[in-house]
Amino acid sequence: MTSSIIQEGTSTVTLVNVFTVEPKDQLRLVEHWQRAAEEVIRHLPGFISANVHRSLDGTKVINYAQWESQDAFDAMRHNPEAAAHLRELGQMGTPAPVVCEVVSVHHI
Amino acid sequence: MTSSIIQEGTSTVTLVNVFTVEPKDQLRLVEHWQRAAEEVIRHLPGFISANVHRSLDGTKVINYAQWESQDAFDAMRHNPEAAAHLRELGQMGTPAPVVCEVVSVHHI
């Protein structure tokens, strides 16, 4: 599957992590997120999706991730392999993670 | 419809706007986003979706918005009604908008 769904009225926990990077490091950070997601994070309990974005100006990488619960998200951060990836990602840029919930979805 | 789709390999432009707020202002900012989206923004050409999130710690409001193109997004910012809403939102908190594209979507 190559799509994720944003929906209101669920118990999904959303993590929006905006990494600030040097433009020369943007692609490297994207590729590291992709590796971390494929090799480790998507196999952890309670994982729903990770959606990696790059800013058009080259200075940011954003991971929009969905977890079944706050507990599942917290457990991920304490998983040794995931934590190792997060530490390496933190060496390539400055993370600003926000744990949130969807309050409303607006369409045409 | 009350759901949005994140997909790789499309020409969708994604705007992730992280607003930093005083916790006492979080609900007010959420409600203002919702009004702006319903009354003005969702009626503009090229709009796909706006997805309003609140951080669990009370200090952030995030709008994850999708537009058909960079031009449509730029036109929105120059629409007088939308610009007025954005100015009012900017008085309730500090925006940090990032214009980006989806590079990959990861699932279980």
Side-chain angles (χ1 to χ4, degrees):
Chain A
M1 203 209 292
T2 54
S3 66
S4 303
I5 292 172
I6 303 176
Q7 208 158 12
E8 55 186 61
T10 75
S11 58
T12 298
V13 170
T14 303
L15 171 72
V16 180
N17 199 347
V18 179
F19 263 78
T20 300
V21 288
E22 295 292 325
K24 68 176 174 52
D25 294 328
Q26 191 191 36
L27 180 60
R28 201 159 64 98
L29 187 54
V30 162
E31 288 172 347
H32 198 111
W33 265 121
Q34 291 171 330
R35 244 188 345 267
E38 285 301 313
E39 291 174 6
V40 178
I41 294 172
R42 78 186 181 88
H43 305 289
L44 297 176
F47 173 83
I48 299 173
S49 79
N51 306 274
V52 182
H53 301 64
R54 66 170 210 91
S55 72
L56 302 188
D57 71 0
T59 68
K60 301 278 191 296
V61 175
I62 299 179
N63 183 27
Y64 181 100
Q66 297 172 312
W67 290 85
E68 282 177 9
S69 66
Q70 174 92 46
D71 284 352
F73 170 66
D74 290 340
M76 177 275 292
R77 290 193 297 181
H78 294 101
N79 173 285
E81 285 180 280
H85 274 297
L86 293 175
R87 268 196 307 276
E88 284 176 47
L89 288 161
Q91 285 161 6
M92 297 180 204
T94 308
V98 181
V99 180
C100 50
E101 64 182 9
V102 175
V103 286
S104 57
V105 171
H106 307 266
H107 281 263
I108 296 168
Chain B
M1 204 208 292
T2 54
S3 65
S4 303
I5 293 171
I6 303 176
Q7 208 159 11
E8 55 187 59
T10 75
S11 58
T12 298
V13 170
T14 304
L15 171 71
V16 180
N17 199 347
V18 180
F19 263 78
T20 300
V21 289
E22 294 293 325
K24 68 176 175 46
D25 294 326
Q26 190 191 37
L27 180 60
R28 202 160 63 97
L29 186 53
V30 162
E31 288 172 348
H32 198 112
W33 266 120
Q34 291 170 330
R35 244 188 345 267
E38 284 302 313
E39 292 174 6
V40 178
I41 293 172
R42 76 185 183 90
H43 306 288
L44 297 177
F47 173 83
I48 299 172
S49 79
N51 305 274
V52 182
H53 300 65
R54 67 169 209 90
S55 72
L56 301 188
D57 71 0
T59 67
K60 302 278 190 296
V61 175
I62 299 179
N63 182 27
Y64 181 100
Q66 297 173 311
W67 291 85
E68 281 177 11
S69 66
Q70 174 93 46
D71 284 353
F73 170 66
D74 290 339
M76 177 277 289
R77 289 192 298 180
H78 294 100
N79 173 284
E81 286 180 279
H85 273 298
L86 292 176
R87 269 196 306 275
E88 284 176 50
L89 288 162
Q91 284 162 6
M92 297 180 204
T94 307
V98 181
V99 179
C100 50
E101 64 182 9
V102 176
V103 286
S104 57
V105 171
H106 306 267
H107 281 264
I108 294 168

